[in-house]
Amino acid sequence: MLAVELVRRGAQRFADRTAVVVGDREFSFAEIDERAGRLANALLAAGAGRGTRVGLLVDNGEWSIPLDFACLKAGVTRVPLNARLAVAEQTRMLAETGVTLLVYSKPLAQRAVTLAEALDGLRLAGLGDRQRAQDLDLVAELDRVPAADPRVAVAPDDVVLALYTSGTTGTLKAAQHTQASYAAITTNILANLLSPGRGSAMLHAASLIHASGTFVLPYWIRGGRAVVLPGFDPGSYLDSITRHRVTDVNLVPTMLGLLLAGSTVDAAATLDTIVYGASPMPKPLILEALDRFGPKFVQYYGQTEAPLCQTVLGKADHLQTDLLGSCGHPAVDAELLLTDPAESGPTRGDR
């Protein structure tokens, strides 16, 4: 299965339904797909095609999801940059991956210019922005290119994502995903964590370049909505849950702690599932959360190299307090082996 085919299937099946919500704006599946098609054609016209690598320095906004889909349609490898990293780190990432075109969103324009000045030959393409005469405004180009899907021929092994992670080593390295492996992430999420439907909505406050973004396609292919926030603020986060009838959220423990510190947690009545991961959950925090929200929690552990989940602690598991310190059960599509560095083979037992 190709990831780009999942984009096409969702767009065709749910064309008129709302797919993405950003602020006060709602975009249908057809509108997102058309934006993706135009952006893909604009990237192709700019010289980015199958096998080329395009850097992305973007925040959570109305272009985030269409841009990711456009890269799939154009056959390019997207190289997202964490906006919080230092210039030196971002420069190294772009140089190592051979990026010659950097797409950026307007709030990050000055950083994009700094990177272009540091790297010879790096061209800039803004999303509704143009800082220099030689730069390109991709949004301005959309009316000059076809809306139709360019239907670039791609293969299952084509790399679609090179995502830098520091992992447990502290050294930035690029984990690569292909058309096939990125599609497999969708299967992994649907098989182990969630089963969204047409009435489902996932709230995205964390950056879409990391784990939060992997939930977009599973909801897209099932007709659910992605509600995108520019960042995490406890008050506006809870307001968005109520306002947009959000059914599912994806949190890290720090975010959950900030939510519990507020007084309006109990108003989030539409929530069905609270997925969490990325770091260990303190037992006192999850016990308080269960008391406040009820048994709505699902925990996962995974790696950027093999997302999304390799182990899962489900809702029913959270009712057994002795399991709350566990990383969970192996995912249905994962095979785990426990090893001891002091021994040559696997350890005994299954935990």
Side-chain angles (χ1 to χ4, degrees):
M1 174 57 68
L2 303 177
V4 68
E5 285 303 324
L6 296 180
V7 175
R8 291 170 179 145
R9 287 185 187 185
Q12 182 178 26
R13 184 177 180 186
F14 305 109
D16 297 329
R17 295 184 61 83
T18 298
V20 177
V21 180
V22 183
D24 294 327
R25 299 195 64 182
E26 295 187 353
F27 301 91
S28 70
F29 282 78
E31 288 171 330
I32 293 295
D33 192 55
E34 180 179 335
R35 281 189 166 202
R38 289 187 183 277
L39 282 170
N41 284 309
L43 288 172
L44 292 168
R50 183 183 179 189
T52 63
R53 294 171 178 178
V54 173
L56 305 183
L57 183 63
V58 297
D59 55 359
N60 282 10
E62 64 177 270
W63 294 105
S64 303
I65 293 173
L67 180 59
D68 282 354
F69 288 177
C71 290
L72 291 174
K73 288 173 179 278
V76 305
T77 301
R78 65 186 191 273
V79 184
L81 302 182
N82 186 333
R84 296 182 179 180
L85 293 179
V87 171
E89 292 174 307
Q90 294 172 336
T91 301
R92 180 169 71 82
M93 293 160 67
L94 293 172
E96 284 182 350
T97 51
V99 167
T100 57
L101 178 66
L102 177 64
V103 180
Y104 68 91
S105 52
K106 193 171 184 178
L108 299 169
Q110 289 307 308
R111 173 56 65 89
V113 171
T114 300
L115 292 170
E117 292 173 346
L119 285 169
D120 290 338
L122 181 64
R123 296 178 297 144
L124 300 181
L127 292 169
D129 185 73
R130 185 182 181 188
Q131 292 290 311
R132 307 173 305 173
Q134 66 266 38
D135 296 341
L136 182 69
D137 179 353
L138 276 184
V139 175
E141 295 297 311
L142 297 190
D143 289 335
R144 304 186 184 106
V145 296
D149 188 331
R151 294 279 173 176
V152 173
V154 296
D157 290 337
D158 285 0
V159 177
V160 299
L161 174 65
L163 181 59
Y164 274 85
T165 174
S166 59
T168 56
T169 66
T171 301
L172 287 170
K173 56 185 181 296
Q176 297 189 118
H177 281 282
T178 65
Q179 286 277 355
S181 70
Y182 205 76
I185 295 172
T186 296
T187 302
N188 172 266
I189 291 172
L190 294 175
N192 295 284
L193 295 180
L194 295 153
S195 185
R198 299 187 184 195
S200 301
M202 168 68 81
L203 184 60
H204 299 272
S207 173
L208 286 167
I209 74 169
H210 286 300
S212 190
T214 61
F215 287 94
V216 171
L217 264 182
Y219 281 71
W220 174 272
I221 197 67
R222 292 283 185 85
R225 290 174 292 132
V227 180
V228 180
L229 300 180
F232 178 75
D233 171 77
S236 59
Y237 191 87
L238 289 168
D239 288 343
S240 295
I241 291 174
T242 301
R243 178 184 176 190
H244 298 294
R245 305 178 309 284
V246 169
T247 57
D248 311 300
V249 297
N250 176 42
L251 299 170
V252 297
T254 302
M255 295 166 69
L256 182 59
L258 291 171
L259 288 178
L260 292 175
S263 58
T264 58
V265 167
D266 304 298
T270 59
L271 277 184
D272 177 75
T273 303
I274 303 171
V275 180
Y276 68 93
S279 63
M281 174 70 76
K283 191 170 182 178
L285 181 60
I286 190 60
L287 286 173
E288 180 184 355
L290 285 165
D291 182 61
R292 297 283 294 277
F293 283 104
K296 300 180 179 181
F297 290 86
V298 176
Q299 174 191 252
Y300 69 90
Y301 274 79
Q303 292 178 291
T304 304
E305 294 85 348
L308 181 68
C309 60
Q310 294 167 359
T311 64
V312 182
L313 196 70
K315 292 180 182 179
D317 296 322
H318 279 78
L319 298 178
Q320 298 177 247
T321 57
D322 61 321
L323 292 180
L324 295 180
S326 168
C327 63
H329 305 282
V332 298
D333 50 349
E335 185 175 354
L336 303 181
L337 181 66
L338 301 180
T339 62
D340 186 336
E343 300 179 8
S344 58
T347 58
R348 293 185 178 182
D350 57 3
R351 297 198 232 184

